[in-house]
Amino acid sequence: MFELKMRRGWKMALSEGLRFCRRIVSWVPVLVIVLVVLWSYYAYVFELCLVTILSPAEKVIYLIFYHAIFVFFTWTYWKSIFTLPQQPNQKFHLSYTDKERYENEERPEIQKQMLIDMAKKLPVYTRTGSGAVRFCDRCHLIKPDRCHHCSVCAMCVLKMDHHCPWVNNCIGFSNYKFFLQFLAYSVLYCLYIATTVFSYFIKYWRGELPSVRSKFHVLFLLFVACMFFVSLVILFGYHCWLVSRNKTTLEAFCTPVFTSGPEKNGFNLGFIKNIQQVFGDNKKFWLIPIGSSPGDGHSFPVRSMNESQNPLLANEEPWEDNEDDDQDYPAVSSSLAMETET
């Protein structure tokens, strides 16, 4: 008996140790980004502006615009990292009694019916590919529309998009706006550095400037800025396309299944309203990393639904035209159907 307890104790200690090591390792990509950004700040401000550039007016102009972009770049990166993913509220969790009934029931068809009965009390309209209610057996909750379980964060995340190792966070309803802004300001940051450094890169290359320590920083700064710009502009372009269609990354790879069946354009409300679903109605907050996404992340308006079934659409004005507006869509309700874990 004593040996059995000792073995369990060692297993628990080992498991906790592995979890701790994984948490430490998960911060390595963030540390890499932070170090690169700190070096780029030093290389641009000190080696380029203060050492290489001789014109005082040019120095001031370059530094003012650089720091304006840098502030928004670091601000959005901070918000992407430290804005916690939002989890479903308590009403989506199974009560103690329901949980006991569900776990004690051995017949799958009865379990399925139990979930259907529980979901009737909730604003949940999507299903799995087999038509069952989307249920997380780890968090013991009925998943709200567009919610998914993240295996890295070990929790269900509202409107989950993906888990990003570069911010060591799950991107979802609470921080997707910040993540998109971070990509935009990252692209702008790299583009600004590349365009302002390029002329001095040419001068160093032609030998018009003395070969001093700053030469290495300026040459490498252009190379790093261009390399990151190419990768970031592709990623940013992809997410702009997702926003224009009102899709998440998971939904782009796995078509949402509604109560009426699969519908890949179920959340497409038109270009302008799709943008407003992420950034909100007030345009003055679109460029600032302040939470302005509408709703609470538990339910979402969809492209076509009877207003009596979805009160979110009751006072909506007609959707903007887009290339698919002349098509007929079935009456659907909302969200990602088949469970996808990341």
Side-chain angles (χ1 to χ4, degrees):
M1 191 68 178
F2 177 76
E3 292 181 358
L4 182 60
K5 289 183 178 180
M6 285 290 293
R7 289 177 184 176
R8 289 179 179 175
W10 278 108
K11 287 182 179 179
M12 291 179 61
L14 181 61
S15 178
E16 289 296 323
L18 290 174
R19 281 200 203 96
F20 177 77
C21 291
R22 189 172 67 176
R23 285 196 293 268
I24 296 298
V25 172
S26 66
W27 285 101
V28 171
V30 176
L31 180 61
V32 171
I33 296 297
V34 170
L35 292 176
V36 171
V37 171
L38 290 176
W39 169 79
S40 70
Y41 183 89
Y42 166 79
Y44 191 90
V45 173
F46 293 95
E47 299 296 344
L48 176 68
C49 293
L50 299 183
V51 176
T52 303
I53 298 176
L54 301 179
S55 170
E58 189 176 3
K59 287 183 180 182
V60 172
I61 293 173
Y62 277 23
L63 286 173
I64 289 176
F65 281 99
Y66 174 82
H67 281 94
I69 298 172
F70 184 80
V71 166
F72 280 94
F73 166 66
T74 53
W75 188 5
T76 54
Y77 190 46
W78 175 275
K79 294 286 283 187
S80 298
I81 295 174
F82 294 106
T83 301
L84 296 177
Q86 191 170 339
Q87 301 179 63
N89 60 33
Q90 195 61 38
K91 71 177 181 179
F92 288 88
H93 289 75
L94 266 61
S95 65
Y96 179 80
T97 304
D98 290 337
K99 180 181 174 183
E100 288 290 315
R101 286 175 51 222
Y102 181 82
E103 292 179 346
N104 292 332
E105 180 58 58
E106 298 179 354
R107 292 167 294 180
E109 64 277 6
I110 302 299
Q111 287 184 323
K112 182 177 179 180
Q113 185 58 46
M114 290 170 62
L115 293 177
I116 292 175
D117 294 337
M118 296 174 196
K120 290 178 180 178
K121 307 173 186 177
L122 301 170
V124 176
Y125 306 102
T126 52
R127 299 293 183 264
T128 66
S130 61
V133 173
R134 299 172 61 244
F135 176 73
C136 180
D137 55 1
R138 300 180 185 181
C139 300
H140 302 290
L141 58 82
I142 294 175
K143 295 179 183 178
D145 297 333
R146 311 185 87 173
C147 173
H148 293 272
H149 185 90
C150 177
S151 58
V152 180
C153 297
M155 64 181 178
C156 285
V157 178
L158 294 179
K159 196 185 177 183
M160 179 179 172
D161 188 87
H162 69 288
H163 186 92
C164 181
W166 300 107
V167 299
N168 191 29
N169 201 1
C170 210
I171 306 302
F173 176 78
S174 62
N175 59 358
Y176 184 66
K177 174 189 174 182
F178 307 143
F179 177 75
L180 200 64
Q181 290 174 324
F182 164 63
L183 293 180
Y185 287 117
S186 297
V187 169
L188 183 60
Y189 182 73
C190 293
L191 181 62
Y192 180 79
I193 289 177
T195 53
T196 53
V197 167
F198 184 73
S199 60
Y200 291 94
F201 171 84
I202 297 299
K203 290 180 180 180
Y204 274 121
W205 189 267
R206 293 177 176 175
E208 297 176 9
L209 292 174
S211 181
V212 293
R213 183 185 63 180
S214 298
K215 178 179 180 180
F216 164 78
H217 291 284
V218 171
L219 298 182
F220 198 60
L221 189 61
L222 179 65
F223 171 76
V224 172
C226 290
M227 180 182 65
F228 275 95
F229 173 79
V230 171
S231 58
L232 285 169
V233 78
I234 294 173
L235 183 60
F236 178 61
Y238 175 69
H239 278 278
C240 286
W241 177 81
L242 290 176
V243 171
S244 71
R245 302 295 188 197
N246 199 6
K247 293 183 178 181
T248 65
T249 299
L250 294 177
E251 291 166 355
F253 285 95
C254 182
T255 301
V257 179
F258 300 89
T259 51
S260 58
E263 178 51 70
K264 65 179 182 179
N265 290 316
F267 298 107
N268 192 346
L269 309 177
F271 183 73
I272 298 299
K273 287 191 178 294
N274 290 343
I275 294 176
Q276 291 173 343
Q277 283 294 298
V278 176
F279 294 96
D281 299 330
N282 197 332
K283 294 182 179 179
K284 69 181 182 181
F285 294 131
W286 283 15
L287 300 180
I288 304 174
I290 297 175
S292 59
S293 300
D296 60 2
H298 291 84
S299 55
F300 302 89
V302 293
R303 185 177 179 82
S304 176
M305 176 184 284
N306 189 301
E307 290 185 1
S308 64
Q309 291 179 300
N310 191 347
L312 292 172
L313 300 180
N315 298 317
E316 291 286 329
E317 297 179 3
W319 294 316
E320 284 71 18
D321 292 332
N322 71 7
E323 60 184 8
D324 296 320
D325 276 356
D326 56 347
Q327 300 181 18
D328 293 329
Y329 288 84
V332 292
S333 304
S334 83
S335 183
L336 192 43
M338 300 181 68
E339 176 180 354
T340 306
E341 290 189 3
T342 62

Coordinates of all heavy atoms in Angstrom, one line a residue, residues 54-126:
L54 N 23.8 61.9 -40.7 CA 24.4 63.2 -40.3 C 23.5 64.4 -40.2 O 23.7 65.3 -39.4 CB 25.6 63.5 -41.2 CG 26.7 62.4 -41.3 CD1 27.7 62.8 -42.3 CD2 27.3 62.2 -40.0
S55 N 22.4 64.4 -41.0 CA 21.5 65.5 -41.0 C 20.6 65.5 -39.8 O 19.9 64.5 -39.5 CB 20.6 65.4 -42.3 OG 19.6 66.4 -42.2
P56 N 20.7 66.6 -39.0 CA 19.8 66.7 -37.8 C 18.3 66.6 -38.1 O 17.6 65.9 -37.3 CB 20.2 68.0 -37.1 CG 21.5 68.3 -37.7 CD 21.6 67.8 -39.1
A57 N 17.9 67.2 -39.1 CA 16.5 67.2 -39.5 C 16.0 65.8 -39.8 O 14.9 65.3 -39.4 CB 16.2 68.2 -40.6
E58 N 16.9 65.1 -40.6 CA 16.5 63.7 -41.0 C 16.5 62.8 -39.8 O 15.6 61.9 -39.7 CB 17.6 63.2 -42.0 CG 17.2 61.9 -42.6 CD 18.2 61.5 -43.7 OE1 19.2 62.2 -43.9 OE2 18.0 60.4 -44.3
K59 N 17.4 63.0 -38.8 CA 17.4 62.2 -37.6 C 16.1 62.4 -36.9 O 15.5 61.4 -36.4 CB 18.6 62.6 -36.7 CG 19.9 62.2 -37.2 CD 21.0 62.6 -36.1 CE 22.4 62.2 -36.6 NZ 23.4 62.6 -35.6
V60 N 15.7 63.6 -36.7 CA 14.5 63.9 -35.9 C 13.2 63.3 -36.6 O 12.4 62.7 -35.9 CB 14.3 65.4 -35.7 CG1 12.9 65.7 -35.1 CG2 15.4 66.0 -34.9
I61 N 13.1 63.5 -37.9 CA 12.0 63.0 -38.6 C 11.9 61.4 -38.5 O 10.9 60.8 -38.3 CB 12.0 63.4 -40.1 CG1 11.8 64.9 -40.2 CG2 10.9 62.7 -40.9 CD1 12.0 65.5 -41.5
Y62 N 13.0 60.8 -38.8 CA 13.1 59.4 -38.7 C 12.7 58.8 -37.4 O 12.0 57.9 -37.2 CB 14.5 58.9 -39.1 CG 14.7 58.8 -40.6 CD1 14.0 59.5 -41.5 CD2 15.7 57.9 -41.1 CE1 14.2 59.4 -42.9 CE2 16.0 57.8 -42.4 CZ 15.2 58.5 -43.3 OH 15.5 58.4 -44.7
L63 N 13.2 59.5 -36.3 CA 13.0 59.0 -34.9 C 11.6 59.2 -34.5 O 11.0 58.4 -33.8 CB 14.0 59.7 -34.0 CG 15.4 59.3 -34.0 CD1 16.3 60.2 -33.2 CD2 15.6 57.8 -33.6
I64 N 10.9 60.3 -34.9 CA 9.6 60.6 -34.5 C 8.6 59.5 -35.1 O 7.8 58.9 -34.4 CB 9.1 62.0 -35.0 CG1 9.8 63.1 -34.1 CG2 7.6 62.1 -34.9 CD1 9.5 64.5 -34.6
F65 N 8.7 59.3 -36.4 CA 7.9 58.3 -37.0 C 8.2 56.9 -36.6 O 7.3 56.1 -36.4 CB 8.0 58.4 -38.6 CG 7.3 59.5 -39.2 CD1 7.9 60.7 -39.5 CD2 5.9 59.4 -39.4 CE1 7.2 61.7 -40.1 CE2 5.2 60.5 -40.0 CZ 5.8 61.6 -40.3
Y66 N 9.5 56.6 -36.3 CA 9.8 55.3 -35.8 C 9.2 55.0 -34.5 O 8.6 53.9 -34.3 CB 11.3 55.2 -35.8 CG 11.8 53.9 -35.1 CD1 11.9 52.7 -35.9 CD2 12.1 53.8 -33.8 CE1 12.3 51.5 -35.3 CE2 12.5 52.6 -33.2 CZ 12.6 51.5 -33.9 OH 13.0 50.3 -33.3
H67 N 9.3 55.9 -33.6 CA 8.8 55.7 -32.2 C 7.3 55.7 -32.2 O 6.7 55.0 -31.4 CB 9.3 56.8 -31.3 CG 10.7 56.5 -30.8 ND1 11.8 57.1 -31.4 CD2 11.2 55.7 -29.8 CE1 12.9 56.7 -30.8 NE2 12.6 55.9 -29.9
A68 N 6.6 56.4 -33.1 CA 5.1 56.3 -33.2 C 4.7 54.9 -33.5 O 3.8 54.3 -33.0 CB 4.6 57.3 -34.2
I69 N 5.4 54.4 -34.6 CA 5.0 53.0 -35.0 C 5.4 52.0 -33.9 O 4.7 51.0 -33.6 CB 5.7 52.7 -36.3 CG1 5.2 53.6 -37.4 CG2 5.5 51.2 -36.7 CD1 6.0 53.5 -38.7
F70 N 6.6 52.2 -33.3 CA 7.1 51.3 -32.3 C 6.2 51.2 -31.1 O 6.0 50.1 -30.6 CB 8.5 51.7 -31.8 CG 9.2 50.8 -30.9 CD1 9.8 49.6 -31.3 CD2 9.2 51.0 -29.5 CE1 10.4 48.8 -30.5 CE2 9.8 50.2 -28.6 CZ 10.4 49.0 -29.1
V71 N 5.6 52.3 -30.7 CA 4.7 52.3 -29.5 C 3.5 51.4 -29.8 O 3.1 50.5 -29.0 CB 4.2 53.7 -29.2 CG1 3.0 53.7 -28.2 CG2 5.4 54.5 -28.6
F72 N 2.8 51.6 -31.0 CA 1.7 50.8 -31.3 C 2.0 49.3 -31.6 O 1.3 48.4 -31.3 CB 1.0 51.3 -32.6 CG 0.1 52.5 -32.2 CD1 0.6 53.8 -32.3 CD2 -1.2 52.3 -31.8 CE1 -0.2 54.9 -32.0 CE2 -2.0 53.4 -31.5 CZ -1.5 54.7 -31.6
F73 N 3.2 49.1 -32.1 CA 3.7 47.7 -32.4 C 3.9 46.9 -31.1 O 3.4 45.8 -30.9 CB 5.0 47.8 -33.1 CG 5.8 46.5 -33.2 CD1 5.3 45.4 -33.8 CD2 7.0 46.4 -32.5 CE1 6.0 44.2 -33.8 CE2 7.7 45.2 -32.5 CZ 7.2 44.1 -33.2
T74 N 4.5 47.6 -30.1 CA 4.8 46.9 -28.8 C 3.5 46.8 -28.0 O 3.3 45.8 -27.3 CB 5.9 47.6 -28.0 OG1 5.5 49.0 -27.9 CG2 7.2 47.5 -28.7
W75 N 2.6 47.8 -28.1 CA 1.4 47.8 -27.3 C 0.5 46.7 -27.8 O -0.1 46.0 -26.9 CB 0.7 49.2 -27.6 CG -0.5 49.4 -26.7 CD1 -1.0 48.6 -25.7 CD2 -1.4 50.6 -26.8 NE1 -2.2 49.2 -25.2 CE2 -2.4 50.4 -25.9 CE3 -1.4 51.7 -27.6 CZ2 -3.5 51.3 -25.7 CZ3 -2.5 52.6 -27.5 CH2 -3.5 52.4 -26.5
T76 N 0.3 46.5 -29.1 CA -0.5 45.4 -29.6 C 0.1 44.1 -29.3 O -0.7 43.1 -29.1 CB -0.8 45.6 -31.1 OG1 0.5 45.7 -31.8 CG2 -1.6 46.8 -31.4
Y77 N 1.4 44.0 -29.3 CA 2.0 42.7 -29.0 C 1.8 42.3 -27.6 O 1.5 41.2 -27.2 CB 3.5 42.8 -29.3 CG 4.3 41.4 -29.2 CD1 3.7 40.3 -29.8 CD2 5.5 41.3 -28.6 CE1 4.4 39.1 -29.8 CE2 6.1 40.1 -28.5 CZ 5.6 39.0 -29.1 OH 6.2 37.8 -29.0
W78 N 1.9 43.3 -26.7 CA 1.7 43.1 -25.3 C 0.2 42.6 -25.0 O 0.0 41.7 -24.3 CB 1.9 44.4 -24.5 CG 1.6 44.4 -23.0 CD1 0.4 44.6 -22.5 CD2 2.5 44.0 -21.9 NE1 0.4 44.4 -21.1 CE2 1.7 44.1 -20.7 CE3 3.8 43.8 -21.9 CZ2 2.2 43.9 -19.5 CZ3 4.4 43.5 -20.6 CH2 3.6 43.6 -19.5
K79 N -0.7 43.3 -25.7 CA -2.1 42.9 -25.5 C -2.4 41.5 -26.1 O -3.2 40.8 -25.5 CB -3.0 44.0 -26.3 CG -3.0 45.4 -25.7 CD -3.8 45.5 -24.4 CE -5.2 45.5 -24.6 NZ -6.0 45.8 -23.4
S80 N -1.8 41.2 -27.2 CA -1.9 39.8 -27.7 C -1.4 38.7 -26.8 O -2.0 37.7 -26.7 CB -1.2 39.7 -29.1 OG -1.7 40.6 -30.0
I81 N -0.4 39.0 -26.1 CA 0.2 38.1 -25.2 C -0.6 38.0 -23.9 O -0.9 36.9 -23.4 CB 1.7 38.4 -24.8 CG1 2.6 38.3 -26.1 CG2 2.3 37.5 -23.8 CD1 4.0 38.8 -25.9
F82 N -0.9 39.1 -23.3 CA -1.4 39.1 -21.9 C -2.9 39.3 -21.8 O -3.4 39.3 -20.7 CB -0.7 40.1 -21.1 CG 0.8 39.9 -20.9 CD1 1.7 40.6 -21.6 CD2 1.2 38.8 -20.1 CE1 3.1 40.3 -21.5 CE2 2.6 38.6 -19.9 CZ 3.5 39.3 -20.6
T83 N -3.6 39.3 -22.9 CA -5.1 39.3 -22.8 C -5.5 37.8 -22.8 O -5.4 37.1 -23.7 CB -5.7 40.0 -24.0 OG1 -5.3 41.3 -24.1 CG2 -7.3 39.9 -23.9
L84 N -6.1 37.4 -21.6 CA -6.4 36.0 -21.4 C -7.5 35.6 -22.3 O -8.5 36.3 -22.6 CB -6.8 35.8 -20.0 CG -5.7 36.0 -18.9 CD1 -6.2 35.8 -17.5 CD2 -4.5 35.1 -19.2
P85 N -7.5 34.4 -22.8 CA -8.6 33.8 -23.6 C -9.9 33.8 -22.8 O -9.8 33.5 -21.6 CB -8.1 32.4 -24.0 CG -6.7 32.4 -23.8 CD -6.4 33.4 -22.7
Q86 N -11.0 34.1 -23.4 CA -12.3 34.1 -22.7 C -12.9 32.7 -22.7 O -13.0 32.1 -23.8 CB -13.2 35.2 -23.3 CG -14.4 35.4 -22.4 CD -15.2 36.6 -22.9 OE1 -14.7 37.5 -23.6 NE2 -16.5 36.7 -22.5
Q87 N -13.3 32.2 -21.6 CA -13.9 30.9 -21.5 C -15.5 31.1 -21.4 O -16.0 32.1 -21.0 CB -13.4 30.2 -20.3 CG -11.9 30.0 -20.3 CD -11.4 29.3 -19.0 OE1 -11.8 28.1 -18.8 NE2 -10.6 30.0 -18.2
P88 N -16.2 30.0 -21.7 CA -17.7 30.0 -21.6 C -18.1 30.3 -20.2 O -17.4 29.8 -19.2 CB -18.1 28.6 -22.1 CG -17.0 28.2 -23.0 CD -15.7 28.7 -22.4
N89 N -19.2 31.0 -20.0 CA -19.6 31.3 -18.6 C -20.3 30.1 -18.0 O -20.5 29.0 -18.7 CB -20.6 32.5 -18.6 CG -21.8 32.3 -19.5 OD1 -22.3 31.2 -19.6 ND2 -22.3 33.4 -20.0
Q90 N -20.7 30.2 -16.8 CA -21.1 29.1 -16.0 C -22.4 28.4 -16.5 O -22.5 27.2 -16.3 CB -21.4 29.5 -14.5 CG -21.5 28.4 -13.5 CD -20.2 27.6 -13.5 OE1 -19.1 28.1 -13.6 NE2 -20.3 26.2 -13.3
K91 N -23.2 29.1 -17.2 CA -24.5 28.5 -17.7 C -24.3 27.4 -18.7 O -25.2 26.6 -19.0 CB -25.5 29.5 -18.2 CG -25.1 30.2 -19.5 CD -26.2 31.1 -19.9 CE -25.9 31.8 -21.3 NZ -27.0 32.7 -21.7
F92 N -23.1 27.4 -19.3 CA -22.8 26.3 -20.3 C -22.2 25.1 -19.7 O -22.0 24.1 -20.4 CB -21.9 26.9 -21.4 CG -22.5 27.9 -22.4 CD1 -22.6 29.2 -22.1 CD2 -23.1 27.4 -23.5 CE1 -23.2 30.1 -22.9 CE2 -23.8 28.3 -24.4 CZ -23.8 29.7 -24.1
H93 N -21.8 25.2 -18.4 CA -21.2 24.0 -17.7 C -22.4 23.2 -17.2 O -23.4 23.7 -16.8 CB -20.4 24.5 -16.6 CG -19.1 25.1 -17.0 ND1 -19.0 26.4 -17.5 CD2 -17.8 24.6 -16.9 CE1 -17.7 26.7 -17.7 NE2 -17.0 25.6 -17.4
L94 N -22.1 21.9 -17.2 CA -23.1 20.9 -16.7 C -23.2 21.1 -15.2 O -22.1 21.2 -14.5 CB -22.7 19.5 -17.0 CG -23.3 18.9 -18.3 CD1 -22.9 19.7 -19.5 CD2 -22.9 17.5 -18.5
S95 N -24.4 21.1 -14.7 CA -24.5 21.1 -13.2 C -24.0 19.8 -12.6 O -23.8 18.8 -13.4 CB -26.0 21.3 -12.8 OG -26.8 20.2 -13.3
Y96 N -23.8 19.7 -11.3 CA -23.3 18.5 -10.7 C -24.2 17.3 -11.0 O -23.8 16.2 -11.3 CB -23.1 18.7 -9.2 CG -22.6 17.5 -8.5 CD1 -21.3 17.2 -8.5 CD2 -23.5 16.7 -7.8 CE1 -20.8 16.1 -7.8 CE2 -23.1 15.5 -7.1 CZ -21.7 15.2 -7.1 OH -21.3 14.1 -6.5
T97 N -25.5 17.6 -10.9 CA -26.5 16.5 -11.1 C -26.5 16.0 -12.5 O -26.5 14.8 -12.8 CB -27.9 17.0 -10.8 OG1 -28.0 17.5 -9.4 CG2 -28.9 15.9 -10.9
D98 N -26.5 17.0 -13.5 CA -26.4 16.6 -14.9 C -25.1 15.9 -15.3 O -25.1 14.9 -16.1 CB -26.6 17.8 -15.8 CG -28.0 18.4 -15.7 OD1 -28.9 17.7 -15.4 OD2 -28.1 19.6 -16.0
K99 N -24.0 16.3 -14.7 CA -22.8 15.6 -14.9 C -22.8 14.2 -14.4 O -22.3 13.3 -15.1 CB -21.6 16.4 -14.2 CG -20.3 15.8 -14.4 CD -19.2 16.7 -13.7 CE -17.9 16.0 -13.7 NZ -16.8 16.7 -13.0
E100 N -23.4 14.0 -13.2 CA -23.5 12.6 -12.7 C -24.3 11.7 -13.6 O -24.0 10.6 -13.9 CB -24.0 12.7 -11.3 CG -23.1 13.2 -10.2 CD -21.9 12.3 -10.0 OE1 -22.2 11.1 -9.8 OE2 -20.8 12.7 -9.9
R101 N -25.5 12.3 -14.0 CA -26.4 11.5 -14.9 C -25.7 11.2 -16.2 O -25.8 10.0 -16.7 CB -27.6 12.3 -15.2 CG -28.6 12.4 -14.0 CD -29.8 13.4 -14.3 NE -30.4 13.0 -15.6 CZ -30.8 13.9 -16.5 NH1 -30.6 15.2 -16.3 NH2 -31.3 13.4 -17.6
Y102 N -25.0 12.1 -16.7 CA -24.3 11.9 -18.0 C -23.2 10.9 -17.9 O -23.1 10.0 -18.8 CB -23.8 13.2 -18.6 CG -23.1 13.1 -19.9 CD1 -23.8 13.2 -21.1 CD2 -21.7 13.0 -20.0 CE1 -23.2 13.1 -22.3 CE2 -21.1 12.9 -21.2 CZ -21.9 12.9 -22.4 OH -21.2 12.8 -23.6
E103 N -22.4 11.0 -16.9 CA -21.3 10.0 -16.8 C -21.7 8.6 -16.4 O -21.1 7.6 -16.7 CB -20.3 10.6 -15.7 CG -19.6 11.8 -16.2 CD -18.6 12.3 -15.1 OE1 -18.7 11.9 -14.0 OE2 -17.7 13.2 -15.4
N104 N -22.8 8.5 -15.7 CA -23.3 7.2 -15.3 C -24.1 6.5 -16.4 O -24.3 5.3 -16.3 CB -24.2 7.4 -14.0 CG -23.4 7.8 -12.8 OD1 -22.2 7.5 -12.7 ND2 -24.1 8.5 -11.8
E105 N -24.5 7.3 -17.4 CA -25.3 6.7 -18.5 C -24.3 6.0 -19.5 O -23.4 6.6 -19.9 CB -26.1 7.8 -19.2 CG -26.9 7.2 -20.4 CD -27.9 6.1 -20.0 OE1 -28.7 6.4 -19.1 OE2 -27.7 5.0 -20.5
E106 N -24.5 4.7 -19.7 CA -23.6 4.0 -20.6 C -24.1 3.9 -22.0 O -23.3 3.6 -22.9 CB -23.4 2.6 -20.0 CG -22.8 2.5 -18.6 CD -22.7 1.1 -18.1 OE1 -23.2 0.2 -18.8 OE2 -22.1 0.9 -17.0
R107 N -25.3 4.2 -22.3 CA -25.8 4.2 -23.7 C -25.6 5.5 -24.4 O -26.1 6.5 -24.0 CB -27.3 3.8 -23.6 CG -27.6 2.4 -23.1 CD -29.1 2.3 -22.8 NE -29.5 3.1 -21.7 CZ -30.8 3.2 -21.2 NH1 -31.7 2.5 -21.8 NH2 -31.1 4.0 -20.2
P108 N -24.8 5.5 -25.5 CA -24.4 6.7 -26.2 C -25.7 7.4 -26.7 O -25.7 8.7 -26.7 CB -23.6 6.2 -27.4 CG -23.1 4.9 -26.9 CD -24.1 4.3 -26.1
E109 N -26.7 6.7 -27.2 CA -27.9 7.4 -27.7 C -28.6 8.2 -26.7 O -29.2 9.2 -26.9 CB -28.8 6.4 -28.4 CG -29.4 5.3 -27.5 CD -28.5 4.1 -27.3 OE1 -27.3 4.2 -27.7 OE2 -29.0 3.2 -26.6
I110 N -28.6 7.6 -25.4 CA -29.3 8.3 -24.3 C -28.4 9.6 -23.9 O -29.0 10.6 -23.6 CB -29.4 7.4 -23.1 CG1 -30.3 6.2 -23.5 CG2 -30.1 8.2 -22.0 CD1 -31.7 6.6 -24.0
Q111 N -27.1 9.4 -23.9 CA -26.2 10.5 -23.6 C -26.4 11.7 -24.6 O -26.5 12.9 -24.3 CB -24.8 10.1 -23.6 CG -24.3 9.3 -22.4 CD -22.9 9.0 -22.5 OE1 -22.3 8.7 -23.5 NE2 -22.2 9.0 -21.3
K112 N -26.6 11.3 -25.9 CA -26.8 12.3 -27.0 C -28.1 13.0 -26.7 O -28.1 14.2 -26.9 CB -26.8 11.6 -28.3 CG -27.0 12.5 -29.5 CD -26.9 11.7 -30.8 CE -27.1 12.6 -32.0 NZ -27.0 11.9 -33.3
Q113 N -29.1 12.3 -26.4 CA -30.4 12.9 -26.1 C -30.4 13.8 -24.9 O -31.0 14.9 -24.9 CB -31.5 11.9 -26.0 CG -32.9 12.4 -25.8 CD -33.3 13.2 -27.0 OE1 -33.1 12.8 -28.2 NE2 -33.9 14.4 -26.8
M114 N -29.6 13.4 -23.9 CA -29.5 14.3 -22.7 C -28.9 15.6 -23.0 O -29.3 16.7 -22.6 CB -28.7 13.5 -21.6 CG -29.3 12.3 -21.0 SD -28.2 11.3 -20.0 CE -27.7 12.5 -18.7
L115 N -27.8 15.6 -23.9 CA -27.2 16.8 -24.3 C -28.1 17.7 -25.1 O -28.1 18.9 -25.0 CB -25.9 16.5 -25.1 CG -24.8 15.9 -24.3 CD1 -23.6 15.6 -25.2 CD2 -24.3 16.8 -23.2
I116 N -28.9 17.1 -26.0 CA -29.9 17.8 -26.8 C -30.9 18.5 -25.8 O -31.2 19.7 -26.1 CB -30.6 16.9 -27.8 CG1 -29.7 16.4 -28.8 CG2 -31.8 17.6 -28.4 CD1 -30.3 15.4 -29.8
D117 N -31.4 17.8 -24.8 CA -32.3 18.4 -23.9 C -31.7 19.6 -23.1 O -32.3 20.6 -22.9 CB -32.8 17.4 -22.9 CG -33.7 16.3 -23.6 OD1 -34.2 16.6 -24.7 OD2 -33.8 15.2 -23.1
M118 N -30.4 19.4 -22.7 CA -29.7 20.5 -22.0 C -29.5 21.7 -22.9 O -29.6 22.8 -22.4 CB -28.4 20.0 -21.4 CG -28.5 18.9 -20.4 SD -26.9 18.2 -20.0 CE -27.3 16.7 -19.1
A119 N -29.2 21.4 -24.2 CA -28.9 22.5 -25.1 C -30.1 23.4 -25.4 O -29.9 24.5 -25.9 CB -28.2 21.9 -26.4
K120 N -31.3 22.8 -25.2 CA -32.5 23.6 -25.6 C -32.6 24.8 -24.7 O -33.3 25.8 -25.1 CB -33.7 22.7 -25.3 CG -33.9 21.6 -26.4 CD -35.1 20.7 -26.1 CE -35.2 19.6 -27.1 NZ -36.4 18.7 -26.8
K121 N -32.0 24.8 -23.5 CA -32.0 26.0 -22.6 C -31.0 27.0 -23.0 O -30.9 28.1 -22.3 CB -31.8 25.5 -21.2 CG -32.8 24.4 -20.8 CD -32.4 23.9 -19.4 CE -33.2 22.7 -19.0 NZ -32.8 22.1 -17.7
L122 N -30.1 26.7 -24.0 CA -29.0 27.6 -24.3 C -29.0 28.1 -25.7 O -29.6 27.5 -26.6 CB -27.6 26.8 -24.1 CG -27.4 26.2 -22.7 CD1 -26.2 25.3 -22.8 CD2 -27.1 27.3 -21.7
P123 N -28.4 29.2 -26.0 CA -28.4 29.8 -27.4 C -27.3 29.0 -28.2 O -26.4 29.6 -28.7 CB -28.0 31.2 -27.1 CG -27.2 31.2 -25.9 CD -27.8 30.2 -25.0
V124 N -27.5 27.7 -28.3 CA -26.6 26.9 -29.1 C -27.3 26.3 -30.3 O -28.3 25.6 -30.1 CB -26.0 25.8 -28.2 CG1 -25.1 24.8 -29.0 CG2 -25.2 26.4 -27.0
Y125 N -26.8 26.5 -31.5 CA -27.5 26.1 -32.7 C -26.7 25.2 -33.6 O -27.2 24.7 -34.6 CB -28.0 27.3 -33.5 CG -28.8 28.3 -32.7 CD1 -28.2 29.4 -32.2 CD2 -30.1 28.0 -32.3 CE1 -28.9 30.3 -31.4 CE2 -30.8 28.9 -31.6 CZ -30.2 30.0 -31.1 OH -31.0 30.9 -30.3
T126 N -25.4 25.0 -33.3 CA -24.5 24.2 -34.1 C -24.3 22.8 -33.6 O -24.6 22.6 -32.4 CB -23.2 24.9 -34.3 OG1 -22.6 25.2 -33.0 CG2 -23.3 26.2 -35.1

